[in-house]
RNA sequence: GCGGGCGUGGUGAAAUGGUAGACACGCAAGUUUUAGGAACUUGUGCCCAAAAGGUGUGGAGGUUCGAGUCCUCUCGCCCGCACCA
């Protein structure tokens, strides 16, 4: 029966042509700037000034949403890097998510800013150019066009007027400006040090770009090279980068990845006198409680004292020096991979020197060993073989003494002879003088107090995080805008001698004072344009291609006017992306890089009063409200962007410390169970699917695949199914023009609508797109069976579906609008609805209350009871009863008139 | 080794502590079609010929009137970090 009725609501004919519909709306949205927010007039993000994370914690989010209509909502996705192959479907995934979210937020009444751009500078793009045999500049021109075309057909509600490209001189002049500001703040310095070098990319890499000893991009084994490089002093912010993490509304996983990478360890630096020579060795340890058991000292091959011995400053036996030279040379040439391949087999050379342990007067032999890391702590450790497995391995190999100082749970107090006996856990101190009998935590505090009092040690915090290596010996990046002047350096007359420089460092030591630093920065003539050169390929000599071009690097000193040279390295591509979210809001400002206070904006040469005004007003958009991107950037981009923001805050350019209030890491899209790769031939080009099914279908399908943070498996049969569904929706509603609809929804219809609205709203808020879409499908199944639909149901359905399939829903709305909707007149187009009205039915359904009690029916205990309350008194009564189990049983025994028990259905109680 | 996460049908997966498997894919049968495709209808956790019934969220316990969900242990898988002193 219902089948026949259902048919009456369905179309006589259907023609669903997604391509035509989508192009039509895309061009309309574009030409009318529908999604271009007025940047200057948005209200601040939250009226109270609290962050969304805080509001959420206080459960105020729903309430606040209504209070802050018209407030700025900065909805950002990580911009893609353009490749010859075109847009990756992984990006379609992100962009579908961010756009569904943007459209949802817009309906809640926010001003939403959803910008897009291209991360076109960097090794990635340059390698693509080399592979295709083209010049990076031509490569960029070509891919830019293709990428923007592909980005357009997704139907995303991008603010197209604010697009940017990192290789645009109007962009990278500010990247260079940023470099200069960091330099002026003492956060950029140049240093000669062993660095990671990728022999294939022929450039140095930052620590973060080395994964398992291999290059992040090409997976070549990374070598160690001594090169003079530019670094950013991100370690200055290690503490803040770590402590701020707690306040962020990010997934625990990403937060943890950052915490681990920063790697804070609290301990103590202990300085030991070296017997017989005028030297000391400072070690870092987190376990000073075991110090009575210390029997040796081990130095990293890079350690200063080792250098002093090798260079003859500290004189020891010549034969040992030769042995050490050989060992150090071998160790420093080893790549990470080689070191791992050798396993944990310890090696080392005894220096013949001893250090005295003041606690015991034990003469600890000083060794050099490559299991000690030059970059952690002080590059030296004190060996306690009884209570550290690595120390034990070292001690047994070289016959060093092992002393037990902790007894663990097993009560074993015998001498430690086997590795299984090494006691690294909790326990009680023995053989440790005044520490005896204490547990290790108490002993740790006690001994640190003692050492500090005796004056040979100081509590210290060590971090795993190292400074950010910023220079690259490549072509395709912003030239580092520094000028070296030999003459000024000779005179000791460099930037550091200017009033500005002196003021900057007057309260602290100068972090950077070596001679290589002497020079000038041409701040007022930025951008330092990247010239077109033919031989742009990396050379592998430790110099960048620009070093072959005197016409580039030869210049005059901005200070003395003499001959000077420019830096020829370019900066890391991660610098480009560390601040792009700031620039989106100022792409039309020629003289100011990003929104900032009037006071600061005025300091930019050439800034017009209008520009200063814009810069000031647009600050309401910061920080980024919602950021969606890949989890692979957990410790790279996200850490760098946080660091840059903090540095800019300290310089007074921005007034927030954390750039991304909320970050959501989406999952990975695989294809038919395998990772996409060209060699497998299973790379998805979104173009093919958009052409065949339309963007609405692709978007909805991608988001339906599975939980957004887990990605999913892309299957052609799956997208077919989604296409069927989209078509069904089209047919149902486009058929409405000939069908009937009624004034009011049925009770069941209302309940369905209420449930779906509530469910989908909540799902969208937490980016559970897959379940939101499933709810829409369920509701469709219900609607399709109805003999007729109400205008409210149809309109609500279209609104709820719009975040996923914006084109089709808008087209349907237009079709239906022209067919005598018996509703209040709609003068504006559907996109105005996008911006105004998210349906809520809470008020209407206040009468329905869910009570959770134990109920016995037919001798069986059952669960949830849905009670329909007739009026406010009923509702209050039921809520009160729900709070008190005891009264509920009474209530159920006496006051309920009917109990309707439908097998397979929820229990319904009708209140008198 | 440290840290985090996950184990539910043939598949992707749903389930504020309350009918386990929503929704979709796939599969099966049917209607329609010259055929293929498409569309529509019905069915589909497992066991049993069917019904009745039983059983069922990696495993073992526990809390609870009630556990996929909370707690303890255990097995298996995935992802970070790692010779970090």
């Amino acid at each position: 029966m219902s089948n026949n009725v259902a048919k009456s609501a369905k179309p006589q004919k259907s023609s669903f042509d997604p391509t035509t519909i989508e192009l039509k709306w895309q061009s309309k949205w574009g030409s009318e700037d529908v999604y271009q927010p007025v940047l200057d007039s948005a209200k601040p993000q939250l009226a109270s000034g609290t962050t969304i994370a805080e509001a959420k914690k206080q459960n105020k989010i729903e309430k606040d949403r209504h209070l802050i209509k018209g407030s700025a909502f900065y909805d950002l996705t990580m911009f893609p890097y353009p490749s010859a192959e075109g847009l990756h479907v992984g990006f379609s995934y992100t962009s579908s998510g961010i756009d569904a979210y943007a459209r949802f937020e817009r309906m809640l009444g926010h001003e939403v800013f959803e910008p897009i751009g291209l991360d076109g500078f960097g090794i990635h793009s340059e390698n693509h150019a080399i592979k295709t045999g083209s010049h990076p500049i031509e490569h960029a021109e070509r891919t830019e066009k293709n990428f923007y075309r592909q980005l357009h057909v997704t139907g995303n509600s991008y603010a197209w007027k604010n697009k940017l490209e990192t290789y645009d001189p109007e962009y990278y002049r500010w990247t260079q400006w940023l470099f200069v500001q960091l330099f002026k703040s003492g956060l950029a310095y140049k240093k000669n040090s062993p660095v990671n070098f990728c022999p294939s990319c022929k450039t140095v890499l930052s620590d973060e770009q080395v994964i398992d000893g291999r290059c992040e991009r090409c997976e070549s084994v990374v070598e160690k090279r001594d090169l003079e490089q530019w670094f950013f002093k991100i370690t200055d912010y290690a503490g803040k980068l770590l402590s701020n993490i707690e306040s962020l509304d990010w997934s625990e996983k990403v937060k943890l990845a950052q915490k681990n990478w920063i790697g804070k360890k609290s301990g103590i630096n202990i300085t030991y006198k070296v017997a017989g020579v005028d030297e000391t060795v400072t070690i870092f340890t987190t376990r000073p409680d075991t110090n009575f058991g210390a029997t040796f000292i081990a130095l990293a091959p890079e350690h200063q004292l080792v250098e002093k011995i090798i260079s003859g400053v500290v004189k020891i036996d010549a034969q040992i020096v030769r042995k050490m030279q050989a060992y150090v040379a071998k160790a420093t040439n080893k790549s990470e991979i080689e070191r791992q391949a050798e396993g944990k087999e310890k090696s080392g050379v005894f220096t013949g020197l001893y250090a005295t342990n003041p606690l015991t007067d034990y003469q600890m032999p000083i060794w050099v060993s490559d299991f000690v890391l030059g970059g952690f702590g002080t590059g030296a450790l004190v060996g306690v073989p009884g209570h550290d497995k690595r120390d034990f391995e070292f001690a047994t190999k070289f016959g060093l003494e092992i002393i037990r100082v902790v007894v663990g749970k097993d009560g074993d107090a015998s001498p430690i002879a086997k590795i299984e006996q090494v006691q690294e856990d909790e326990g009680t101190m023995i053989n440790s003088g005044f520490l005896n009998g204490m547990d290790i935590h108490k002993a740790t505090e006690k001994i640190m107090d003692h050492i500090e009092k005796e004056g040979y040690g100081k509590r210290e915090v060590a971090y795993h995080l190292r400074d950010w290596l910023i220079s690259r010996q490549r072509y395709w990046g912003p030239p580092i805008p520094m000028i070296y002047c030999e003459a000024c350096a000779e005179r000791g007359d460099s930037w550091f001698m200017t009033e500005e420089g002196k003021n900057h460092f007057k309260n602290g030591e100068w972090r950077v004072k070596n001679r290589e630093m002497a020079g000038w920065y041409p701040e007022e003539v930025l951008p330092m344009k990247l010239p077109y050169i033919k031989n742009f390929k990396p050379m592998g000599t430790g110099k960048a291609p620009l070093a072959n071009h005197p016409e580039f690097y030869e210049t005059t000193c901005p200070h003395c006017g003499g001959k000077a040279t420019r830096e020829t390295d370019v900066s890391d591509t991660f610098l480009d992306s560390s601040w792009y979210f700031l620039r989106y809001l100022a792409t039309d400002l020629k003289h100011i890089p990003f929104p900032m206070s009037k006071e600061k904006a005025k300091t930019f040469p050439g800034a017009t009063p209008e520009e200063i005004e814009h810069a000031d007003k647009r600050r309401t958009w910061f920080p980024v409200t919602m950021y969606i991107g890949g989890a692979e950037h957990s410790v790279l981009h996200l850490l760098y962007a946080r660091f840059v923001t903090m540095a800019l805050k300290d310089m007074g350019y921005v007034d927030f410390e954390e750039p991304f209030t909320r970050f959501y890491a989406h999952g990975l899209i695989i294809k038919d169970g395998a990772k996409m790769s060209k060699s497998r031939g299973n790379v998805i080009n979104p173009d093919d699917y958009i052409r065949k099914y339309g963007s609405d279908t692709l978007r909805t399908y991608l988001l339906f695949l599975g939980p957004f943070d887990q990605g999913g498996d892309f299957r052609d049969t799956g997208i077919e199914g989604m296409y069927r569904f989209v078509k069904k929706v089209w047919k149902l509603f486009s058929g409405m023009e000939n069908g009937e609809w009624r004034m009011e929804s049925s009770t069941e219809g209302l309940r369905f609508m209420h449930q779906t609205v509530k469910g989908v709203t909540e799902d969208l808020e937490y980016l559970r797109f897959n379940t939101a879409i499933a709810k829409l499908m369920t509701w469709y199944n219900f609607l399709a069976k109805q003999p007729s639909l109400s205008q409210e149901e149809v309109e609500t359905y279209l609104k709820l579906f719009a975040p996923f399939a914006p084109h089709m829903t808008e087209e349907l709305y237009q079709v239906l609008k022209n067919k005598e909707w018996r509703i209040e007149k709609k003068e504006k187009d559907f996109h105005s609805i996008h911006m105004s009205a998210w349906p809520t039915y809470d008020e209407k359904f206040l009468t329905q209350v869910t009570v959770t009690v134990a109920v016995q029916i037919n001798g069986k205990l059952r669960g949830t009871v849905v009670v329909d309350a007739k009026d406010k008194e009923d509702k209050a009564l039921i809520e009160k009863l729900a709070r008190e189990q005891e009264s509920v049983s009474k209530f159920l025994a006496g006051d309920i008139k009917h109990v309707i028990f439908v097998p397979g259905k929820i229990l319904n109680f009708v209140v008198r």
Side-chain angles (χ1 to χ4, degrees), chain A residues 212-226:
Chain A
D212 292 333
R214 291 173 185 275
C215 172
E216 179 221 7
R217 300 199 183 275
C218 67
E219 295 185 8
S220 312
V221 174
V222 169
E223 300 166 358
K224 286 274 171 199
R225 283 208 192 175
D226 268 339

Side-chain angles (χ1 to χ4, degrees), chain A residues 748-759:
Chain A
E748 205 187 344
L750 275 174
R751 185 169 287 179
F752 236 113
M753 180 154 59
H754 166 64
Q755 279 171 1
T756 312
V757 169
K758 211 174 149 212

Side-chain angles (χ1 to χ4, degrees), chain A residues 27 92 125 165 202 221 265 307 327 400 432 444 509 525 562 651 745 768 775 843 873 895:
Chain A
S27 92
S92 306
S125 298
E165 299 83 37
K202 296 176 181 172
V221 174
K265 307 261 169 166
E307 222 165 90
Y327 183 78
L400 303 167
S432 296
T444 303
E509 55 177 306
V525 297
M651 293 174 210
S745 307
R768 296 188 300 244
K775 286 182 177 105
E843 281 305 313
E873 283 72 41
D895 293 345

Side-chain angles (χ1 to χ4, degrees), chain A residues 33-42 106 111-114 157-159 162 621:
Chain A
D33 286 336
V34 171
Y35 298 117
Q36 195 70 42
V38 181
L39 295 177
D40 285 9
S41 65
R106 217 173 263 126
E111 270 299 286
V112 176
F113 181 51
E114 187 188 352
S157 48
Y158 291 128
N162 296 75
W621 290 93

Side-chain angles (χ1 to χ4, degrees), chain A residues 270-291:
Chain A
I270 304 175
T271 302
Y272 297 105
K273 286 203 177 86
V274 180
V277 292
D278 187 20
E279 288 292 336
T280 59
V281 177
T282 301
I283 61 92
F284 173 78
T285 179
T286 56
R287 289 292 305 275
D289 51 312
T290 60
N291 211 248

Side-chain angles (χ1 to χ4, degrees), chain A residues 2-3 5-10 725 728-729 732-733 736 742 744-757 773-790 792-794 796-797 800 845 905:
Chain A
S2 63
N3 299 349
V5 181
K7 267 175 191 157
S8 72
K10 279 173 191 155
F725 174 69
K728 279 200 275 190
V729 173
L732 177 63
F733 292 122
M736 292 290 295
R742 50 181 175 227
E744 299 272 321
S745 307
S746 62
T747 311
E748 205 187 344
L750 275 174
R751 185 169 287 179
F752 236 113
M753 180 154 59
H754 166 64
Q755 279 171 1
T756 312
V757 169
I773 293 164
K775 286 182 177 105
L776 286 166
M777 289 175 162
T778 312
W779 193 21
Y780 165 86
N781 288 342
F782 171 80
L783 292 178
K785 286 190 177 117
Q786 299 308 302
S788 63
L789 303 177
S790 71
E792 193 183 20
E793 282 170 315
V794 174
T796 305
Y797 195 92
L800 289 180
F845 283 88
K905 293 267 179 193

Side-chain angles (χ1 to χ4, degrees), chain A residues 334-350:
Chain A
K334 271 191 220 170
S335 69
E336 288 294 320
I337 293 282
E338 283 167 330
R339 281 170 86 161
Q340 272 170 25
E342 287 173 18
K344 316 237 167 184
E345 185 66 33
K346 300 286 181 290
S347 62
V349 176
F350 178 43

Side-chain angles (χ1 to χ4, degrees), chain A residues 812-827:
Chain A
L812 280 172
Y813 182 82
Q814 295 303 326
V815 169
L816 295 174
K817 188 188 75 172
N818 295 332
K819 303 294 175 192
E820 294 177 36
W821 279 106
R822 308 166 283 95
I823 51 173
E824 71 272 29
K825 53 187 186 299
K826 293 270 186 252
E827 280 152 14

